[in-house]
Each structure stands twice: as C-alpha cells, then as structure tokens.
Amino acid sequence: MRFTINGSKREADPDIRASLLDVLREEFALTGTKKGCDHGQCGACTVLVNGRRINACLTLAVMHQDDDILTIEGLGSTDALHPMQEAFVRHDGYQCGYCTPGQICSAVGMLDEVAKGWPSHVTDDLSAPALDDDEIGERMSGNICRCSAYPNIVDAIREVHAQRKGAGEKA
C-alpha cells in the first residue's frame, strides 16, 4: 500500500484488516499518535487525512492509500513547533501528555473547519460561526483528557485562533 504521510511517500504491506492507527505506529514507527480506547471514544488517535480530522483507530489503512495523512510528527519539529504546539506548551495544555497529540491534531483540524465556516451543533449564527466556549467544547468533545486540562486546552485554542484572525485568516 502507498501512503503520503507527513509529506513523504511511504509504502508498506500490512494486513489488509489493519487500522490506520496500527499501520502508523507499527509499520512507520509514528508513535506520537496514541492508542487510547481503540473504539473511537477518546480521540487520542486523531490525525488529519486530507485536512479532515479522523480517529485513526476506526478506519482501515487500505481506505487511505494515496491520501495525505498528517500526524503530530508532521505538524512541527523540535526546532520549529507548530503554533498550536507552542500554545499548548505556553498554556500547560498537556498535563500527562497522553492525549496531547490527538488534542493538538483535532484542534488544528477544528480551526480549519471554523475558518471554512462549517457550523457545529451549537452554532447560533450559521453564516458566521463564532469560537466561544460552547463552540470549542462541542467541536473538541471527541477528545478526552483524563487529567482535565480542558481550561488550558481551550486557552491554547483561543490563542491560536486569535493569531490566525490577526493574520487576516477567515475566522
């Protein structure tokens, strides 16, 4: 199978029944993406596929051949962190760190959804979704933090959102 992972073309020959999560971790040693519940309930395995956030434990790798897959390892590096990674550090949004890769990937995907004007279930104004506490809570509800770092995670998301708006990106 052929994949584009973090901008690089990669090939592997996993079991046809392997989840994307297992292939990322076992075939490509990308262990930043975590296996939490293996049932799509915790969000620790969230990655971006063609710019959309998905639970990698709930999808077969074979379904994502030739897709553009972005994991936490592809968002930034130790020398140049992604703005969301920097914000998580500044706001102590990582606590034990287990859920952090999924939280960060989900937050990046969520901000892109907001920028595209996609509403959530709690969006009041469908023509201009605002990113208030209800919106952030709803949009990040698929990502669980057992350490309860939620206020810090929300602060990090708000900061990056404000930076993007300040840079002229669509809210």
Side-chain angles (χ1 to χ4, degrees):
M1 293 182 220
R2 293 178 315 278
F3 304 93
T4 300
I5 303 173
N6 300 328
S8 299
K9 301 285 185 195
R10 310 283 292 270
E11 288 191 25
D13 191 25
D15 185 305
I16 198 80
R17 301 164 293 179
S19 71
L20 179 58
L21 173 62
D22 288 338
V23 169
L24 290 171
R25 292 181 59 81
E26 296 168 14
E27 299 289 331
F28 300 119
L30 295 169
T31 57
T33 305
K34 303 299 185 210
K35 183 179 276 206
C37 65
D38 220 15
H39 294 272
Q41 297 174 345
C42 72
C45 66
T46 303
V47 297
L48 300 170
V49 176
N50 299 327
R52 302 278 313 261
R53 53 192 172 141
I54 67 164
N55 291 329
C57 72
L58 291 181
T59 187
L60 297 174
V62 69
M63 297 169 60
H64 299 288
Q65 292 185 85
D66 300 317
D67 283 350
D68 184 18
I69 302 164
L70 185 63
T71 69
I72 191 70
E73 291 92 347
L75 276 179
S77 68
T78 54
D79 297 329
L81 294 177
H82 184 279
M84 189 64 73
Q85 291 170 316
E86 290 176 344
F88 264 66
V89 170
R90 261 192 306 283
H91 293 280
D92 194 23
Y94 49 87
Q95 299 295 307
C96 82
Y98 197 83
C99 73
T100 305
Q103 294 275 0
I104 290 173
C105 285
S106 188
V108 168
M110 183 224 16
L111 288 182
D112 288 340
E113 293 166 10
V114 171
K116 292 174 182 171
W118 296 356
S120 77
H121 292 292
V122 299
T123 302
D124 288 329
D125 182 357
L126 296 180
S127 64
L131 200 59
D132 58 18
D133 286 345
D134 288 340
E135 280 288 337
I136 293 172
E138 172 65 24
R139 291 173 185 267
M140 292 295 291
S141 65
N143 293 82
I144 296 172
C145 174
R146 288 178 173 37
C147 298
S148 295
Y150 297 117
N152 305 0
I153 292 167
V154 169
D155 288 345
I157 292 168
R158 284 184 176 286
E159 178 183 307
V160 174
H161 179 64
Q163 289 171 353
R164 289 175 71 170
K165 281 178 62 175
E169 290 186 34
K170 192 174 178 183

